[in-house]
Amino acid sequence: MNDKPLPSTPFKMSPSKLLLTENEKRDLIRCLEANQPLPEKYRFLLFKQNREVELVWRGKTDEVSQVALPFQRLEHIDEPRDTTKLSDAYRLLDTSGKQIASWTNKLIWGDNKLILSSLKNGPIRKDLEAQGGLKLIYIDPPFDVGADFCMDIEIGEEKFEKKPSVIEKIAYRDTWGKGADSFIAMIYERLKLMHDLLAEDGSIYVHCDYRVSSYLRLVLDEIFGADNFRNEIIWYYANGGGRARTWFNRKHDTLFWYVKSNKKYMYNGKEAGDERNTNEGTFAGYFKTNEEGRRYQEVRAGGKVYRYYNDELKNADDVWNMGIISQRDKTERINYPTQKPEALLERIIKASSKQGDLVADFFCGSGTTLAVAEKLGRKWIGADWGRFGIHTTRKRIIGVQRELKKAGKNFRAFEILNLGKYERANFLRTNGDLRAEEQAQPAEQKEQEFINLILSEYKAEAVESFTHIVGK
């Protein structure tokens, strides 16, 4: 008999629903005595559930990671080295951009569940709150069910296949190992952690496509609340997509925009807007000219008259016509397979943050969010579980720093962090509620699984004749 106290439940008992019939009580006792799962109806009879619609999957739980692992600094990149050697005399007169103090941007390598949990529960949480909290989160999670973290990369004129690292193999197993169930469980826990980290007036944009959009909308409604949904944005790209023969060409992705609270959030519509259509055509009679020669149109709505000038930006609608990055692009393309155009992130960052605000991307990939945030004067945190993504982002941000310095604009230092050996220890951790003998088998299994991943990565042969050497 396990005499440990039962873990606390997140549900509150509802006295009005505890009036079970005698038959229902007998059924409950029989199920418990036979060690059988309770019928589904008792979930609503015993516990208070206010959700009218709920996404349910195998193994669903409201529990999230609460670990607070210490971050280890791998590198601090202060001021980018200039490509040309300047004389000391010239440096004294150097009026180019300077480093901004008080906050160091952070690029973190590792499992973003552990990173999010450590940001939430660790000492960096105070630093985030001192900066006003996370005002904006953008994520582009891996929504390709068939992805295995292999990718083709170009170096010079040659193309190579980049194989997944050990940590990426673990991530793939946890994301798609059991199909849709494991993807939803993965993203649900991370979104709950992001919700907690987000400032009270913050926003989140979640990027997806047809494969997981239906799941993500319900997950976001459950975590952020349907009342805090702002927009379903369609990113339409005329120059992308294949030539389908058995369905309509798929030419768009979806972005869901939610806020922490619909009572208080940031929206800079005109800063992120579209240019007005100044081709008046047959509607020329509706336009007027003021004393400064500016053309405008007056619109009456709700008893008020609004004046819209042709030379001002208008609020963008929820269909964004922006091309994907072309294969021939020479301006921002860095040959990263999932790279998104900077114009897409520029609109999001301008719409939901202001200069000096802190923005984050916990699936940062090639670092587009971070690069645009740096250019727009925002502070940032980025995370990715792929070493190639971290190296790509590092190089890209150094390039942005150099551009800003050359243009006489200020920039921020950034540091590269990881969780080091603590991440491995957490991977090998087992359920603490199990008895000691029940913990032994899964712990041994996880240890062997970790060793097998290392052996396969190094194409090594397992050996059993040594105490501390596991392969050759």
Side-chain angles (χ1 to χ4, degrees):
M1 184 76 179
N2 186 359
D3 57 358
K4 289 179 63 177
L6 291 173
S8 60
T9 172
F11 301 113
K12 295 180 180 178
M13 289 294 192
S14 176
S16 62
K17 293 193 175 183
L18 285 177
L19 300 177
L20 302 178
T21 66
E22 292 302 317
N23 285 338
E24 288 170 338
K25 291 176 182 177
R26 283 195 294 271
D27 286 344
L28 272 174
I29 293 170
R30 272 199 298 268
C31 288
L32 292 171
E33 289 177 341
N35 200 28
Q36 294 177 345
L38 300 183
E40 185 69 12
K41 70 174 184 177
Y42 289 107
R43 186 158 66 97
F44 301 99
L45 289 173
L46 292 173
F47 303 110
K48 185 178 180 181
Q49 292 281 2
N50 294 323
R51 302 183 186 117
E52 294 180 2
V53 179
E54 182 184 3
L55 182 62
V56 179
W57 62 91
R58 181 174 47 193
K60 181 177 182 180
T61 174
D62 278 347
E63 296 179 3
V64 298
S65 173
Q66 298 295 340
V67 301
L69 304 177
F71 290 104
Q72 300 176 39
R73 182 188 290 177
L74 302 180
E75 185 179 13
H76 181 91
I77 299 173
D78 194 342
E79 183 170 337
R81 295 177 181 174
D82 203 340
T83 53
T84 59
K85 188 174 181 179
L86 302 176
S87 68
D88 291 338
Y90 180 82
R91 288 184 187 279
L92 292 173
L93 303 174
D94 186 7
T95 58
S96 56
K98 305 296 182 188
Q99 182 199 150
I100 305 172
S102 80
W103 166 264
T104 301
N105 292 324
K106 302 180 191 319
L107 178 60
I108 312 173
W109 176 30
D111 182 343
N112 55 10
K113 179 181 78 172
L114 301 179
I115 291 168
L116 285 161
S117 178
S118 300
L119 289 173
K120 172 190 168 185
N121 299 297
I124 292 183
R125 179 69 180 258
K126 291 183 179 179
D127 295 337
L128 301 183
E129 291 173 352
Q131 302 301 321
L134 281 179
K135 299 293 189 182
L136 170 64
I137 298 174
Y138 165 86
I139 59 169
D140 180 12
F143 46 77
D144 183 355
V145 182
D148 61 359
F149 295 94
C150 287
M151 60 180 73
D152 290 333
I153 59 174
E154 294 178 8
I155 301 176
E157 297 181 354
E158 296 189 57
K159 183 177 287 189
F160 300 89
E161 184 183 30
K162 180 255 171 195
K163 298 288 187 180
S165 67
V166 170
I167 196 169
E168 287 169 327
K169 288 179 180 178
I170 295 172
Y172 174 73
R173 181 206 61 189
D174 290 345
T175 304
W176 292 116
K178 298 177 183 176
D181 279 354
S182 54
F183 171 79
I184 300 169
M186 179 278 293
I187 200 66
Y188 183 83
E189 183 172 10
R190 285 156 176 80
L191 284 170
K192 282 184 75 74
L193 289 165
M194 291 180 209
H195 178 269
D196 188 86
L197 278 170
L198 202 60
E200 288 304 311
D201 57 348
S203 295
I204 185 170
Y205 289 76
V206 180
H207 191 140
C208 60
D209 74 357
Y210 64 93
R211 283 167 281 208
V212 295
S213 59
S214 55
Y215 302 133
L216 276 172
R217 178 68 189 273
L218 289 173
V219 168
L220 287 162
D221 274 354
E222 189 167 315
I223 295 172
F224 285 83
D227 291 342
N228 293 320
F229 166 75
R230 298 294 86 188
N231 278 108
E232 177 182 2
I233 298 164
I234 302 301
W235 170 33
Y236 167 69
Y237 33 84
N239 64 330
R243 296 182 178 179
R245 296 182 179 274
T246 54
W247 56 74
F248 296 109
N249 281 334
R250 292 165 179 152
K251 308 281 276 187
H252 82 274
D253 284 2
T254 301
L255 294 106
F256 293 118
W257 173 29
Y258 282 75
V259 295
K260 184 83 172 270
S261 168
N262 58 24
K263 307 296 183 187
K264 180 185 178 183
Y265 65 93
M266 188 177 302
Y267 175 58
N268 309 314
K270 289 188 176 180
E271 282 193 38
D274 285 324
E275 291 184 2
R276 293 190 178 279
N277 181 8
T278 56
N279 182 16
E280 298 169 15
T282 57
F283 299 99
Y286 292 96
F287 288 82
K288 301 176 182 178
T289 305
N290 70 1
E291 58 278 5
E292 298 172 351
R294 295 175 67 193
R295 298 286 284 167
Y296 67 90
Q297 181 184 17
E298 288 185 345
V299 177
R300 185 179 298 275
K304 295 182 179 180
V305 177
Y306 298 90
R307 181 175 290 190
Y308 298 102
Y309 286 92
N310 283 2
D311 57 0
E312 290 180 338
L313 293 177
K314 66 175 181 178
N315 281 7
D317 55 33
D318 60 1
V319 178
W320 298 355
N321 187 352
M322 298 178 181
I324 62 173
I325 300 176
S326 166
Q327 295 281 349
R328 301 186 186 90
D329 183 273
K330 301 296 183 184
T331 57
E332 62 180 277
R333 182 175 176 80
I334 55 176
N335 296 319
Y336 195 91
T338 58
Q339 184 184 354
K340 300 301 183 293
E342 291 192 4
L344 182 72
L345 273 302
E346 183 176 336
R347 174 167 289 181
I348 292 170
I349 291 172
K350 283 183 174 179
S352 294
S353 70
K354 64 181 186 301
Q355 281 200 17
D357 280 349
L358 187 56
V359 305
D361 185 345
F362 296 104
F363 296 86
C364 71
S366 64
T368 302
T369 306
L370 314 184
V372 175
E374 184 77 30
K375 292 176 182 179
L376 295 177
R378 273 64 166 175
K379 305 163 190 170
W380 53 260
I381 298 176
D384 202 87
W385 49 33
R387 182 169 50 192
F388 180 61
I390 294 294
H391 284 312
T392 302
T393 301
R394 175 190 178 278
K395 180 180 178 182
R396 187 172 184 179
I397 297 298
I398 290 174
V400 173
Q401 285 183 332
R402 285 177 176 159
E403 290 175 14
L404 292 173
K405 184 173 176 62
K406 185 177 180 181
K409 298 179 180 178
N410 296 335
F411 57 90
R412 290 186 184 274
F414 72 98
E415 57 187 353
I416 300 175
L417 309 173
N418 77 351
L419 297 170
K421 63 182 180 181
Y422 303 102
E423 190 162 17
R424 175 185 179 276
N426 191 82
F427 170 74
L428 297 174
R429 184 176 297 162
T430 57
N431 185 353
D433 293 330
L434 297 177
R435 299 185 183 92
E437 61 270 20
E438 292 175 328
Q439 291 186 36
Q441 185 176 355
E444 185 178 338
Q445 183 178 342
K446 279 192 168 187
E447 178 74 37
Q448 189 57 50
E449 185 178 352
F450 192 86
I451 289 171
N452 290 341
L453 283 170
I454 297 293
L455 291 173
S456 65
E457 186 72 8
Y458 286 97
K459 297 180 174 61
E461 177 186 343
V463 296
E464 298 178 355
S465 54
F466 296 92
T467 304
H468 298 295
I469 299 175
V470 296
K472 63 179 181 179

